[in-house]
Amino acid sequence: MAEGLDKAREEFFSEAEELIESLSRNLLALDQAVRSGFEDPALINEAFRAVHTLKGLAGLFGAKRVSTLSHRLEDVLDMLRLGKLPLTAEMLDLLFRAVELYGSALGVERARSDDPLPAVDELIAEVGRLGGA
């Protein structure tokens, strides 16, 4: 039984890394689109879906920081989708920072560590403030 759980847990990390790579590609494409003066709603929707799926998987496997960060990002991406927040260079920077910090959060989760991740906690608070805007 433990072997099956370990295998499922490793599949979670593999899937999470793929979702984060997908999110990164979407953000790069979105950045290019914004620089050329065109905001592509499909890219925002794809980013939202990646984060939404990551949130669900993280919740299933008890990856608390990944789940919390995903939940906050999901709120912000939803507001972007609905036009309640503008897609600015600062917003893109925040989203790119989240992609970087997902790696740190996954590393701590993979190691089954409780190490503090102040950068992740700060970003969660920052994104939470945006989501409440």
Side-chain angles (χ1 to χ4, degrees), residues 70-81:
S70 297
H71 185 75
R72 299 291 183 263
L73 286 176
E74 184 183 49
D75 290 345
V76 168
L77 287 165
D78 195 40
M79 291 177 79
L80 286 170
R81 288 186 329 160

Side-chain angles (χ1 to χ4, degrees), residues 29-112:
L30 194 56
D31 186 41
Q32 286 293 336
V34 168
R35 289 176 191 267
S36 67
F38 176 70
E39 201 172 298
D40 187 350
L43 292 171
I44 295 172
N45 284 330
E46 286 179 38
F48 175 86
R49 281 192 301 276
V51 169
H52 177 75
T53 302
L54 186 55
K55 179 187 82 169
L57 286 172
L60 281 173
F61 286 92
K64 214 171 221 174
R65 281 194 189 107
V66 173
S67 180
T68 302
L69 178 57
S70 297
H71 185 75
R72 299 291 183 263
L73 286 176
E74 184 183 49
D75 290 345
V76 168
L77 287 165
D78 195 40
M79 291 177 79
L80 286 170
R81 288 186 329 160
L82 298 173
K84 293 181 179 180
L85 278 177
L87 183 59
T88 62
E90 293 80 19
M91 178 63 71
L92 281 167
D93 287 344
L94 181 133
L95 294 170
F96 279 117
R97 272 197 348 248
V99 167
E100 291 175 21
L101 292 174
Y102 266 130
S104 300
L106 281 176
V108 167
E109 295 292 347
R110 181 173 261 147
R112 299 176 195 257

